[in-house]
Amino acid sequence: MRLVRYGEAGKEKPGLIDEEFHLRDLSGEIDDLAGATLSRAGLDKLRQLNPKSLPKADPSHRIGPCVGGVGTFIAVGLNYADHAKESGMDIPKEPILFSKAVSSISGPLDDILLPRGSQKLDWEVEFAIVIGEEALYVSEDAALDHVAGFCLCNDVSERAFQAERGGQWIKGKSFPGFGPLGPWLVTPEEFEDVQAVDLWLDVNGERMQTGSTSTMIFGVKTLVSYISQFMRLMPGDVITTGTPPGVGMGMTPQRFLKAGDIVTLGGTHLGEQRQVVQAVEG
């Protein structure tokens, strides 16, 4: 299934993309793509629906982030060896974890906001995991049983805030618009192999990133299991799993986003995102 949330920011309705890529309204069946709806039982109920029995929705609606009620937004750093190399970092021996503020989450076509004082705004196409069942001390073998699905994420990063202002990376990762998710939440059965998902990102039509989840240092099962050793993962939590090489910080000379730039990105089965960089007013 390809599940979506559409409508005005903060007032999104749940929807489904059918086989002909029509937007169907799920608001008569569920309140939101959040919480218990993301459980195995909740998703099984949606699988039993005939998509053509659902009313069509106006495709001109804004597409919102594909999951609601996110409690924790976790990111994995340096999870591709080539990206670690371009960042001048050692390949990690254990997953590097950091948080993004949930208030950074936005829709896949919403603007990226250029913060005041920003000098090093960067892009990162990523494959994100959405949790569907509570997970604490989960084994790798059982990890996928706790996953509702996967989506595309742009882990937008202000590198100066991240690395030059002291403290944790969260400062460079959390401005509004720094966490576009979607366009849709793709349930696991749509993937033959989650470790064979192609990813790409363009800036102003120029290809910057080309990668695959096959080159992750720590795969999906490992990440879910590992993170569950340190915290209880809850339905709707999002884990964005790191980026392949090609970020602006790693270029010579370095290249960063400016107002008016257009970022497009996509992945196998994940759909595409498109964002315009806009300076914060005032």
Side-chain angles (χ1 to χ4, degrees):
M1 293 186 294
R2 294 182 296 264
L3 303 170
V4 301
R5 299 170 71 247
Y6 67 96
E8 182 182 345
K11 298 180 181 179
E12 292 91 350
K13 294 181 178 181
L16 178 150
I17 303 296
D18 67 20
E19 292 183 355
E20 297 174 338
F21 286 86
H22 294 133
L23 175 60
R24 301 280 181 169
D25 182 16
L26 276 173
S27 61
E29 305 292 335
I30 58 174
D31 292 331
D32 199 358
L33 291 171
T37 300
L38 299 170
S39 68
R40 289 189 294 273
L43 292 176
D44 282 343
K45 288 181 180 179
L46 296 183
R47 291 186 181 97
Q48 294 170 15
L49 298 173
N50 178 0
K52 293 186 177 180
S53 71
L54 300 170
K56 286 185 178 179
D58 184 346
S60 68
H61 280 295
R62 167 187 173 269
I63 299 298
C66 59
V67 59
V70 178
T72 304
F73 192 5
I74 303 165
V76 182
L78 307 177
N79 197 29
Y80 289 74
D82 288 347
H83 175 56
K85 182 178 179 180
E86 72 176 354
S87 301
M89 304 282 195
D90 294 333
I91 295 174
K93 296 180 180 179
E94 294 188 43
I96 295 172
L97 306 180
F98 60 93
S99 294
K100 291 174 72 76
V102 295
S103 57
S104 72
I105 294 173
S106 58
L109 306 177
D110 293 346
D111 292 338
I112 294 173
L113 297 180
L114 185 68
R116 294 173 185 169
S118 172
Q119 299 294 322
K120 297 182 179 181
L121 187 65
D122 209 346
W123 56 83
E124 293 191 10
V125 61
E126 302 201 2
F127 183 67
I129 305 164
V130 178
I131 298 297
E133 301 274 354
E134 290 188 23
L136 182 67
Y137 293 128
V138 171
S139 69
E140 290 193 20
D141 288 343
L144 291 183
D145 293 337
H146 297 263
V147 173
F150 306 92
C151 66
L152 194 65
C153 175
N154 187 358
D155 178 19
V156 182
S157 308
E158 211 303 329
R159 301 300 188 186
F161 295 178
Q162 175 185 353
E164 300 171 17
R165 299 288 297 271
Q168 299 180 349
W169 287 4
I170 190 171
K171 290 195 289 189
K173 299 282 189 172
S174 295
F175 201 72
F178 276 24
L181 297 178
W184 42 68
L185 171 66
V186 187
T187 49
E189 70 273 7
E190 300 293 331
F191 295 91
E192 184 175 343
D193 182 359
V194 294
Q195 299 303 152
V197 177
D198 293 331
L199 300 168
W200 59 268
L201 182 144
D202 295 348
V203 177
N204 299 329
E206 181 182 353
R207 183 58 46 93
M208 298 296 177
Q209 291 186 272
T210 302
S212 169
T213 58
S214 64
T215 63
M216 282 181 177
I217 298 168
F218 306 104
V220 168
K221 293 179 181 179
T222 298
L223 291 174
V224 173
S225 175
Y226 180 87
I227 296 168
S228 78
Q229 309 305 306
F230 302 97
M231 66 187 76
R232 187 188 303 274
L233 293 167
M234 301 296 291
D237 286 351
V238 175
I239 304 166
T240 191
T241 60
T243 196
V247 300
M249 177 183 64
M251 294 180 175
T252 305
Q254 292 182 330
R255 177 173 172 179
F256 298 110
L257 296 169
K258 60 185 184 302
D261 283 345
I262 298 173
V263 182
T264 52
L265 55 149
T268 309
H269 301 307
L270 299 173
E272 297 185 9
Q273 297 187 1
R274 180 184 186 275
Q275 294 113 27
V276 180
V277 180
Q278 302 281 2
V280 173
E281 296 181 1

